[in-house]
């Protein structure tokens, strides 16, 4: 609020009443926005990955302990958090490579191995407790450099859903020869779309239509295909198809499917596939889409964040200040914006509620 003194002026009574009403309303709005202050959580170690859903955020950290890595879960804007160890691959192997929050759980993919690449899908409750392994896959993409074998990936979470893909890669060359990455003789097969629900894994779809999972939200899943995007419900049943929207830069909320193109943000109704607004992104089009809600979209670069107001396409640069230099990640949820960065060997998670985000415009 501007507290500088201003020279008084004589105002007609009717105008004065209107002026008082405007000032009162403006003061109330300013107070409401100010009351929704950002919250910050400091964590031990350096943050490497950020995931979020609702008012929950999870990060992976590297610390100087027997297991050099931790997963920290925070319910913003509170001051407490829960820390847990990953599994054996996450501790002694390469570490955690993917992280997601959804379905009242935090889930992650960890990997390691020697001659073979070993991958495991793990999950635990948001308040801690016993972690559980839901998947284990191995392939040759380690010492031999042959990506043939089983893979897991595209781990995503949001609301009541937590899902990922499992698939296999088969090398069609003679047995004495190996395939490399992007080898034309490397074939994708045995695709599965898998949910983690009620403490169990459930395959909801098999075949090419199950892969790749690109977005999740509002109780639905979005799967890319060659010429568009298919929206599916939690059971894997098709809800809607969006043609001519082939892009893996997509985000899904209860009311919006957002697909980023080379220059625009295309909005669709996830319940019907009906096309909505097309918003020009201007210079911000070089930044990948990092989330969407009913009102806002987030674009994230290595050192900057751009918020897009979906009602009119207005864009603003979010003030990261010192966080810009070591920004790790950012996630937009219905509750607000989370972003994480590192400073002096420790990490920070920042949460700004939706009310304050919208007031910035």
């Amino acid at each position: 609020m501007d507290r500088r003194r201003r020279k008084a002026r004589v105002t007609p009574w009717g105008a004065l009443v209107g002026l008082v009403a405007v000032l009162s309303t403006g003061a109330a709005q300013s107070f409401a926005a100010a009351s929704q202050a950002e919250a910050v959580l400091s964590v031990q170690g350096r943050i490497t990955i950020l995931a979020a859903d609702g008012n929950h955020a999870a990060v992976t950290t590297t610390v100087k302990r027997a297991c050099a890595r931790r997963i920290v879960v925070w319910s913003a804007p509170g001051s407490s958090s829960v820390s847990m160890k990953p599994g054996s691959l996450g501790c002694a192997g390469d570490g955690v490579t993917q992280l997601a929050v959804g379905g009242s759980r935090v889930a992650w993919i960890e990997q390691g191995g020697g001659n073979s690449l070993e991958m495991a899908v793990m999950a635990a409750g948001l308040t801690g407790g016993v972690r559980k392994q839901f998947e284990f896959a191995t392939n040759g993409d380690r010492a031999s450099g042959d990506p043939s074998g089983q893979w897991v990936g595209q781990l995503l979470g949001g609301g009541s859903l937590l899902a990922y893909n499992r698939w296999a890669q088969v090398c069609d060359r003679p047995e004495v020869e190996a395939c490399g990455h992007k080898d034309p003789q490397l074939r994708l097969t045995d695709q599965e779309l898998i949910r983690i629900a009620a403490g169990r894994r459930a395959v909801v779809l098999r075949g090419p239509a199950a892969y790749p999972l690109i977005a999740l939200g509002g109780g639905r899943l979005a799967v890319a295909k060659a010429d568009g995007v298919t929206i599916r419900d939690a059971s894997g049943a098709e809800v809607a198809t969006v043609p001519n929207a082939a892009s893996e830069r997509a985000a899904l909320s209860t009311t919006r499917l957002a697909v980023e193109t080379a220059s625009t943000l295309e909005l669709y109704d996830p319940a019907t596939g009906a096309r909505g607004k097309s918003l020009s992104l201007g210079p911000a089009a070089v930044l990948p889409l990092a989330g969407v809600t009913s009102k806002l979209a987030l674009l994230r670069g290595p050192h900057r964040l751009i918020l897009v107001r979906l009602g009119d396409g207005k864009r603003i640069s979010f003030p990261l200040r010192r966080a810009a230099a070591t920004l790790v990640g950012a996630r937009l949820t219905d509750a607000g914006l989370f972003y994480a960065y590192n400073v002096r060997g420790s990490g920070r998670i920042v949460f700004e509620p939706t009310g304050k985000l919208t007031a910035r415009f």
Side-chain angles (χ1 to χ4, degrees):
M1 183 181 294
D2 191 349
R3 298 183 181 276
R4 293 176 295 180
R5 294 183 181 274
R6 288 184 169 85
K7 186 177 180 179
R9 293 183 297 175
V10 178
T11 307
W13 175 249
L16 179 61
V17 172
L19 179 61
V20 170
V22 170
L23 290 176
S24 298
T25 302
Q29 290 175 342
S30 297
F31 177 79
S35 66
Q36 298 183 1
E38 68 179 20
V40 182
L41 180 74
S42 298
V43 299
Q44 293 183 347
R46 294 182 62 81
I47 295 173
T48 54
I49 307 176
L50 167 72
D53 175 58
N55 70 320
H56 302 291
V59 295
T60 56
T61 64
T62 301
V63 295
K64 295 180 179 179
R65 295 179 184 172
C67 173
R69 302 175 181 95
R70 289 289 189 280
I71 295 166
V72 179
V73 180
W74 177 38
S75 297
S79 58
S80 62
S81 62
V82 175
S83 177
M84 62 190 78
K85 293 181 181 180
S88 58
L89 293 176
C91 280
D94 300 339
V96 175
T97 58
Q98 295 183 36
L99 185 69
V101 178
S104 300
R105 292 177 178 269
V106 55
W108 62 93
I109 294 177
E110 52 190 62
Q111 66 179 42
N115 292 328
S116 299
L117 176 62
E118 301 175 354
M119 311 176 76
V121 177
M122 310 287 293
L126 294 176
T127 57
V130 179
R131 64 177 183 263
K132 181 178 179 180
Q133 179 174 301
F134 288 86
E135 199 81 62
F136 185 79
T138 62
N139 58 69
D141 195 26
R142 195 67 174 184
S144 64
D146 183 355
S148 299
Q150 298 290 329
W151 290 81
V152 290
Q154 286 78 250
L155 175 66
L156 300 174
S160 61
L161 297 181
L162 193 58
Y164 62 95
N165 280 133
R166 180 183 175 102
W167 69 98
Q169 295 191 106
V170 177
C171 181
D172 288 333
R173 292 187 179 280
E175 190 173 341
V176 294
E177 299 181 22
C179 285
H181 288 280
K182 298 183 179 180
D183 193 307
Q185 297 298 314
L186 194 64
R187 176 167 47 89
L188 202 68
T189 186
D190 298 336
Q191 301 95 323
E192 294 180 335
L193 179 57
I194 301 171
R195 277 190 62 199
I196 295 176
R200 298 180 180 180
R201 66 185 292 279
V203 179
V204 298
L205 193 64
R206 289 184 170 90
Y211 177 96
L213 177 65
I214 58 170
L216 183 155
R220 302 184 181 96
L221 308 103
V223 181
K225 58 179 186 175
D227 59 348
V229 176
T230 302
I231 308 297
R232 299 185 177 276
D233 64 17
S235 68
E238 183 176 319
V239 174
T241 298
V242 178
N244 304 317
S247 173
E248 294 196 6
R249 288 186 175 185
L252 191 60
S253 70
T254 303
T255 59
R256 309 272 192 178
L257 167 67
V259 178
E260 186 179 14
T261 72
S263 60
T264 63
L265 189 65
E266 305 293 330
L267 303 179
Y268 302 88
D269 183 339
T272 64
R275 186 165 185 169
K277 293 181 179 180
S278 177
L279 305 176
S280 173
L281 295 178
V286 298
L287 306 179
L289 181 65
V292 69
T293 65
S294 61
K295 297 179 179 180
L296 301 171
L298 175 68
L299 306 176
R300 183 227 159 174
H303 306 292
R304 61 190 293 226
L305 301 177
I306 299 293
L307 289 168
V308 183
R309 188 166 61 187
L310 302 184
D312 57 7
K314 183 178 180 180
R315 304 184 302 273
I316 62 169
S317 180
F318 185 85
L320 288 171
R321 298 181 290 275
R322 67 173 183 171
T326 58
L327 182 66
V328 174
R331 292 290 183 269
L332 183 66
T333 76
D334 289 333
L337 171 68
F338 287 93
Y339 63 94
Y341 66 101
N342 293 307
V343 56
R344 296 178 182 176
S346 62
R348 303 285 188 276
I349 313 171
V350 183
F351 170 71
E352 184 166 293
T354 297
K356 190 171 181 181
L357 293 178
T358 55
R360 288 185 178 277
F361 287 86

